[in-house]
């Protein structure tokens, strides 16, 4: 009986192992709506963030609010959050405060977003499909904590949990990156075009992740780039 329990423990451990792989031309499919599923991202962060850039690509027909990427610490559940409350609006949170970027409503296509922030000036940048939106001010002088739970598909209202399924994502996510620096305009456009990018603490082509619930990795069905 003791040996059986040992094997069961080993199998349970294997099922919880963190995957690391090149997901180029692949996507996470969040199959249910609403959903309690999410993906945990593992990042190599060594010190608090004074600057950062996050980019990702999404494909969904949701019209209700949903979270794309949630970065929470024990001190602040909305340390970094990319949230879409309605089809024509994105919210970008840093340290629990947010700025709003109004965008054209989607045409049933992939949307690529990048958001960056720098502490020294409090400047928040937002790029949609390779084009910059007017910059805004957010949390000047703030420092983003480093011991974080980073999730795709759910908004954290507590460290690593506290989900509201009616803020969950349903659809496809791809090309997720997080840098501990701001990116130049050329690199922002390169992220949209899936070109060569600088080393990142979270990188789609060497992603360390753990799936929790009903999320499947599948090949991309169609090209995500727009004109």
């Amino acid at each position: 009986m003791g040996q059986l329990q040992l094997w069961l423990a080993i199998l349970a451990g294997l099922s919880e192992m963190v995957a690391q792989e090149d997901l180029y031309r692949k996507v996470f499919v969040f199959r249910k709506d609403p959903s309690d599923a999410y993906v945990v991202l593992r990042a190599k962060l060594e010190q608090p963030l004074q600057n950062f850039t996050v980019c990702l690509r999404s494909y969904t027909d949701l019209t209700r609010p949903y979270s794309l990427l949630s970065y929470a610490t024990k001190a602040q559940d909305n340390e970094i959050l990319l949230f879409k409350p309605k089809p024509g609006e994105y919210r970008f949170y840093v340290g629990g405060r947010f700025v709003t970027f109004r965008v054209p409503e989607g045409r049933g296509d992939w949307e690529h977003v990048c958001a960056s922030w720098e502490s020294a000036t409090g400047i928040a940048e937002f790029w949609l499909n390779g084009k910059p939106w007017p910059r805004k001010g957010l949390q000047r002088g703030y420092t983003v904590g480093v011991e974080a739970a980073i999730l795709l598909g759910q908004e954290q209202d507590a460290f690593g949990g506290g989900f509201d399924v009616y803020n969950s994502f349903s659809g496809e996510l791809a090309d997720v990156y997080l840098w501990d620096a701001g990116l130049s305009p050329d690199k922002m456009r390169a992220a949209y075009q899936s070109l060569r990018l600088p080393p990142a603490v979270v990188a789609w082509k060497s992603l360390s992740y753990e799936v929790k619930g009903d999320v499947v990795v599948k090949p991309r069905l169609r090209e995500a780039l727009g004109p």
Side-chain angles (χ1 to χ4, degrees):
M1 190 65 175
Q3 196 170 20
L4 176 59
Q5 289 176 331
L6 176 61
W7 276 110
L8 289 173
I10 292 172
L11 289 171
L14 288 172
S15 68
E16 292 294 315
M17 284 180 64
V18 176
Q20 181 167 357
E21 61 182 297
D22 182 350
L23 293 177
Y24 180 63
R25 294 195 179 281
K26 295 182 180 179
V27 301
F28 288 129
V29 181
F30 293 76
R31 302 195 317 153
K32 293 183 178 179
D33 176 26
S35 172
D36 60 359
Y38 58 100
V39 177
V40 182
L41 303 181
R42 309 297 184 188
K44 299 174 182 177
L45 291 166
E46 297 177 354
Q47 56 188 8
L49 298 176
Q50 302 289 334
N51 310 275
F52 70 84
T53 304
V54 59
C55 296
L56 57 80
R57 211 179 296 273
S58 66
Y59 187 37
T60 182
D61 59 3
L62 289 176
T63 57
R64 62 164 174 77
Y66 60 86
S67 173
L68 290 162
L69 181 143
S70 172
Y71 177 118
T73 63
K74 292 180 179 178
Q76 176 54 254
D77 55 5
N78 290 332
E79 192 77 308
I80 301 171
L81 176 63
L82 273 178
F83 189 79
K84 198 168 186 186
K86 56 186 177 181
E89 183 178 307
Y90 281 91
R91 289 181 185 174
F92 176 35
Y93 288 74
V94 175
R97 298 184 180 179
F98 70 89
V99 287
T100 297
F101 295 93
R102 292 173 179 84
V103 302
E105 292 195 14
R107 300 167 296 171
D109 209 344
W110 285 91
E111 290 188 359
H112 184 269
V113 298
C114 287
S116 73
W117 171 82
E118 62 179 21
S119 176
T121 62
I123 290 293
E125 287 188 27
F126 182 84
W127 292 63
L128 175 67
N129 294 336
K131 297 177 182 179
W133 254 235
R135 287 169 283 194
K136 299 189 177 184
L138 180 64
Q139 290 286 59
R140 184 175 182 175
Y142 188 77
T143 298
V144 171
V146 70
E147 293 185 13
I150 309 174
L151 308 185
L152 299 176
Q154 296 285 351
E155 180 194 358
Q156 301 174 77
D157 285 331
F159 183 73
F163 307 142
D164 177 350
V165 295
Y166 293 102
N167 286 331
S168 64
F169 178 78
S170 175
E172 302 185 15
L173 290 179
D175 298 339
V176 181
Y177 287 88
L178 173 65
W179 290 271
D180 56 358
L183 292 191
S184 69
D186 284 347
K187 294 301 182 186
M188 289 288 205
R189 285 185 280 269
Y192 169 60
Q193 295 168 339
S194 296
L195 302 178
R196 184 180 296 275
L197 295 168
V201 293
V202 172
W204 193 246
K205 293 186 178 181
S206 58
L207 195 70
S208 295
Y209 69 92
E210 186 176 352
V211 168
K212 297 287 191 178
D214 194 350
V215 182
V216 181
V217 177
K218 298 292 285 184
R220 186 180 293 164
L221 288 177
R222 56 188 294 272
E223 186 53 63
L225 295 183

